[in-house]
Amino acid sequence: MREPAAAELRGLGVSPGAAAGPVEVMAPPPELPPPRPVADAAEEARLALRALEAVEAELEERALAAPTPEARDILQAQAAIAGDPMLAAGVRGRVEQGADAAHALHGAFDEQARLLLAAGGRFAERVADLADLSGRAVAAALGRPMPGVPSPGRPFVLVADDLSPADTAALDTAAVLALVTERGGPTGHTAILARSLGLPAVVGCRGILDAAASGGLAAVDGTGGAVRTPVTEAEAAEVNAAAARRAAEESAPAAPGRTADGRGVDLMVNIGSAADLDGVDLTGVAGVGLFRTEFLFLGRYEEPGLDEQAAAYAKAFAAAGDRTVVVRTLDAGADKPLPFLRLPDEPNPALGVRGLRVARERPDVLETQLAAIARAAAGTPARVAVMAPMVATPEEADGFVARARAHGLPAAGVMIEVPSAALRAARILREAQFLSIGTNDLSQYALAADRQHSGFPELLDPWQPAVLDLIARCAEAGGAAGKSVGVCGEAAADPLLAPVLAGLGVTRLSMSPRALPAVRAALLRFTFAECADLAERVLAADGPAEAREIARTRHNERGRS
Ligand code: PEP
Ligand code: MG
């Protein structure tokens, strides 16, 4: 009998790697039964509140046994929502108005979810968390088992509408081969936890629930964001064998980044504080390509003083040894609100006072920060460089470089996050010593798509040819000036994209430490001439899906050879 042809579904690859195996669809939460009359409101309220307490206690218990710190934090946050007195008040109020326990719980969670949806962006992505809590509480009130992940007793690909934090956090990584969800965005819990657990994951994969309903085997490509189902046993075995070969390549001893013919590409790491370097093997790593300094300022109502800042920077420099550390000056505003600046509310914060523009209102903040970086740099073997975020014009770039020089920091560059700066890269490099491309913001501004909005993953995709064109323009300017042009946004962590970026002339890739082995191995698969050829073909693609497919085909050819 012939196997049915596998359908390929596309979603957002949020955690790299590939795996294939039998699919298991997660059981939905219990159906809400028809409302029933309530004889004793006080007893009904006790029943509903006991259900909430049971959910809270169960989540706290699972938090204690959580496999990772991220999982523990998420489960504790979920437990805190279940234990929120406001929620309990909402449930009580509904019972007083005549609702039974299950409907009172469902209604109270629903109201919270509507508030989050109305708030939009990251808040809206949290709606799945509340839906999960609601399902659990209703199950507890009805005396049913809590909904959750199946355990068929053999490894499987987990398919769900959307995974809740509680489900994801408690996943048994020995049993789950990969995750695929019908909904979900790039910053949701599924994405964060799948990455932290090292599980290949595709989210926002429309149609997967229908495709998986008949069972069978699925092949998941968490790097390229593709899921094929049903696949044959032989295809599944080939996918798993290729993944094992990749894993072996990636576990090769760490060496400096280079192409197959030895063209160097600096591999660097992104950090938010010295602690992010704890336990990180820096063998073969050229240093820190992005030190996001705003973490020191987050949640503060007073600016950290020069001494406190210098001490924090010195710690990070010490952890980097004699490597390069690129410190980004404060990137406040929009997605990184910093209360101490007391910036007035704006209708369009992402287009308002953020990044280097804060120095127009508060030049003293930049001055103190540069002084603190210079003081910390003076006592370290690390090669310290500084760069400014959200630069839009050559004048802004020149102004920043001049200020840095005045503080004795000659290695001063800028981030390229705004298309106008990419277009004027050659001019900016007259004064700036290097460029570092922030693809997260560059995509946002080039495609006019809010990076905090979960509705436009394809527009925020760094494989958009327009974004790659802007990167190419910067890299070309860097080549002509003999200066370094790096990428430090999420795009740098994509192993499929790494040879393309190298082929465009990018000389540095800075990413989360976890991403280093896969990116290092990907670069080694191609000579520089092959990278350049691949880049040319990818630039000629009509859209991100085609661009990624071109690269994926080439990588797969290499993976088999
Ligand atoms: C970027 O925009 O790509 C970047 C690296 O900066 P952040 O994500 O911190 O805005
Ligand atoms: Mg940015």
Side-chain angles (χ1 to χ4, degrees):
M1 200 182 82
R2 277 179 62 132
E3 294 279 342
E8 178 164 298
L9 301 170
R10 302 222 53 103
L12 206 60
V14 290
S15 181
V23 288
E24 288 289 337
V25 180
M26 198 165 85
E31 292 260 324
L32 205 56
R36 65 175 163 75
V38 172
D40 179 346
E43 182 48 38
E44 197 67 20
R46 272 195 292 280
L47 173 66
L49 297 180
R50 269 202 305 274
L52 275 183
E53 280 161 21
V55 172
E56 185 187 2
E58 197 238 349
L59 290 166
E60 269 168 2
E61 202 175 302
R62 287 166 63 182
L64 287 176
T68 63
E70 289 90 345
R72 188 197 52 226
D73 291 351
I74 286 174
L75 287 164
Q76 278 171 347
Q78 288 283 90
I81 299 175
D84 183 355
M86 292 280 287
L87 184 74
V91 170
R92 239 184 264 111
R94 282 179 162 72
V95 173
E96 276 158 21
Q97 285 162 20
D100 62 55
H103 285 87
L105 288 160
H106 179 78
F109 277 110
D110 210 38
E111 184 180 333
Q112 301 261 341
R114 264 185 278 122
L115 292 174
L116 287 185
L117 262 185
R122 278 177 190 232
F123 291 106
E125 282 187 24
R126 298 282 107 89
V127 164
D129 311 0
L130 287 176
D132 168 64
L133 283 171
S134 175
R136 282 166 195 275
V138 169
L142 297 173
R144 306 243 181 92
M146 302 249 179
V149 177
S151 45
R154 50 154 171 67
F156 60 98
V157 170
L158 180 60
V159 171
D161 181 38
D162 198 0
L163 281 174
S164 72
D167 293 324
T168 327
L171 281 185
D172 175 2
T173 48
V176 178
L177 299 166
L179 297 175
V180 187
T181 61
E182 178 98 15
R183 292 187 290 139
T187 58
H189 284 117
T190 307
I192 294 166
L193 278 162
R195 281 194 290 268
S196 86
L197 295 171
L199 282 177
V202 177
V203 302
C205 187
R206 302 270 176 226
I208 188 62
L209 284 175
D210 282 346
S214 45
L217 301 170
V220 181
D221 173 6
T223 311
V227 182
R228 282 182 304 124
T229 190
V231 293
T232 62
E233 293 277 358
E235 284 171 287
E238 195 186 325
V239 168
N240 288 330
R245 279 197 298 274
R246 293 255 152 94
E249 272 177 11
E250 290 166 19
S251 64
R258 59 176 183 81
T259 59
D261 56 337
R263 165 83 71 125
V265 178
D266 286 345
L267 296 181
M268 306 182 85
V269 293
N270 294 351
I271 63 168
S273 71
D276 290 344
L277 289 174
D278 285 353
V280 174
D281 179 7
L282 291 178
T283 315
V285 175
V288 173
L290 170 63
F291 179 3
R292 289 183 164 103
T293 55
E294 46 284 349
F295 287 98
L296 183 63
F297 296 73
L298 276 181
R300 303 278 289 256
Y301 285 85
E302 296 305 326
E303 179 188 359
L306 196 152
D307 290 347
E308 183 184 344
Q309 288 192 44
Y313 304 146
K315 255 194 191 167
F317 299 163
D322 60 359
R323 296 175 179 81
T324 298
V325 180
V326 183
V327 186
R328 175 175 76 185
T329 56
L330 197 59
D331 184 20
D335 60 316
K336 308 178 191 80
L338 295 181
F340 85 91
L341 287 168
R342 298 184 177 84
L343 295 172
D345 283 348
E346 299 181 85
N348 287 309
L351 302 180
V353 180
R354 68 161 291 202
L356 183 63
R357 292 176 197 171
V358 172
R360 297 175 186 218
E361 316 278 321
R362 294 288 307 272
D364 55 304
V365 173
L366 180 59
E367 290 302 314
T368 305
Q369 188 172 29
L370 289 173
I373 296 167
R375 188 197 285 175
T380 170
R383 286 188 289 259
V384 175
V386 288
M387 67 180 179
M390 280 289 296
V391 168
T393 67
E395 289 85 348
E396 286 177 358
D398 293 354
F400 175 77
V401 171
R403 280 175 189 218
R405 284 197 188 126
H407 283 274
L409 294 164
V414 298
M415 288 191 75
I416 299 290
E417 303 185 282
V418 182
S420 58
L423 293 170
R424 303 298 293 165
R427 165 60 188 83
I428 287 175
L429 278 172
R430 229 193 266 165
E431 295 297 324
Q433 291 305 300
F434 62 91
L435 304 178
S436 186
I437 304 171
T439 43
N440 310 337
D441 276 311
L442 188 60
S443 305
Q444 155 166 271
Y445 294 119
L447 279 296
D450 182 349
R451 67 188 269 187
Q452 298 193 80
H453 198 296
S454 60
F456 319 119
E458 80 290 359
L459 294 181
L460 291 167
D461 190 333
W463 288 83
Q464 280 286 354
V467 175
L468 295 174
D469 274 342
L470 292 168
I471 296 173
R473 186 156 176 133
C474 295
E476 201 181 311
K483 291 180 174 175
S484 155
V485 172
V487 172
C488 64
E490 285 300 307
D494 180 348
L496 275 190
L497 193 53
V500 176
L501 295 174
L504 292 175
V506 165
T507 55
R508 275 183 179 176
L509 295 173
S510 192
M511 65 204 79
S512 101
R514 267 197 93 92
L516 285 167
V519 169
R520 182 185 280 119
L523 286 170
L524 273 172
R525 279 183 210 127
F526 301 92
T527 63
F528 181 68
E530 288 167 339
C531 290
D533 179 58
L534 178 60
E536 198 179 313
R537 282 165 199 269
V538 163
L539 276 186
D542 283 340
E546 186 189 336
R548 202 181 256 112
E549 194 49 39
I550 293 168
R552 193 148 59 105
T553 306
R554 288 279 175 102
H555 276 262
N556 286 345
E557 285 162 10
R558 292 308 152 98
R560 274 196 277 278
S561 59

